[in-house]
Amino acid sequence: MRWELRLSRDAMTALYRLERGVARNVSAALDELADDPTIVNLQPDEDDPSRYWIAVEGDYTIWLEIIDERHAMRVIDIE
């Protein structure tokens, strides 16, 4: 079952500001997350264990929260 992705306002703004090639890498990573987050190397945030991050080619990081009961993930920011 595919997971629902919800992008915060900060994440949407960051995605639109990325260079085209980097935006493709980030979009591919988000698609992979939605397909199956268990195959992606999610790393827990040291300061907040409810948040996770993944590194994306091009030196960018996607920050997210998992909402298990709704089978959804909230993308907090893309840096």
Side-chain angles (χ1 to χ4, degrees):
M1 179 176 179
R2 190 168 167 87
W3 285 65
E4 177 184 351
L5 285 179
R6 300 176 185 174
L7 276 73
S8 71
R9 185 174 298 172
D10 289 340
M12 287 295 289
T13 302
L15 187 59
Y16 282 116
R17 290 183 178 167
L18 294 175
E19 295 176 18
R20 189 170 283 186
V22 175
R24 278 190 221 119
N25 293 343
V26 170
S27 293
L30 291 174
D31 283 340
E32 195 173 329
L33 269 172
D35 286 338
D36 187 3
T38 60
I39 63 171
V40 178
N41 192 15
L42 290 174
Q43 301 294 321
D45 184 6
E46 294 174 0
D47 298 329
D48 186 353
S50 69
R51 292 183 176 191
Y52 296 86
W53 61 272
I54 60 167
V56 179
E57 186 178 342
D59 282 340
Y60 283 88
T61 304
I62 299 173
W63 294 91
L64 57 108
E65 294 175 321
I66 297 176
I67 308 165
D68 234 354
E69 64 274 2
R70 293 192 181 160
H71 211 66
M73 287 178 276
R74 180 173 173 261
V75 180
I76 300 165
D77 203 359
I78 302 167
E79 300 176 332

